Amino acid sequence: AYGIALVLVNFGLAAALIALTVRISLGLMMFATLFGYLIRLGLIFLAVYLVTDAAWISLPALGATIIVTHLGLLVWELKYVALSLAHPGLKPPPPLTH
């Protein structure tokens, strides 16, 4: 549960950062995306570091949960991005047949 919560907070912070900065300027959004990633990565490291000595945590299980959940959410998000790109106005033209 702790690993899943970390991933959900990470994705939520990323979305909030992009949503806030895109209204201001494209350059700020790119800056916030790059450096926001580094800051969020540091926050995940800090959150894991704070519980390394806790009796209730298994570090291999936490690491696997964080990795699998990140990849799972990215694949799920990719599915919806691909569906939005499948809009008829964005489809490539059909191949020419001779």
Side-chain angles (χ1 to χ4, degrees):
Y2 186 69
I4 292 172
L6 285 176
V7 172
L8 291 177
V9 168
N10 185 28
F11 273 79
L13 285 173
L17 195 59
I18 291 171
L20 288 173
T21 57
V22 74
R23 294 181 188 136
I24 299 170
S25 75
L26 181 62
L28 181 62
M29 184 199 68
M30 290 187 290
F31 179 83
T33 303
L34 175 63
F35 290 102
Y37 171 74
L38 297 174
I39 291 168
R40 290 181 295 109
L41 192 61
L43 289 174
I44 289 175
F45 173 78
L46 179 65
V48 171
Y49 181 75
L50 290 175
V51 297
T52 54
D53 295 330
W56 55 270
I57 200 79
S58 166
L59 288 180
L62 178 62
T65 301
I66 290 171
I67 291 169
V68 169
T69 306
H70 264 103
L71 291 175
L73 285 174
L74 287 172
V75 168
W76 179 66
E77 183 181 9
L78 179 65
K79 179 179 124 178
Y80 286 100
V81 169
L83 286 176
S84 68
L85 291 176
H87 187 271
L90 298 177
K91 274 189 178 177
L96 297 174
T97 57
H98 297 301

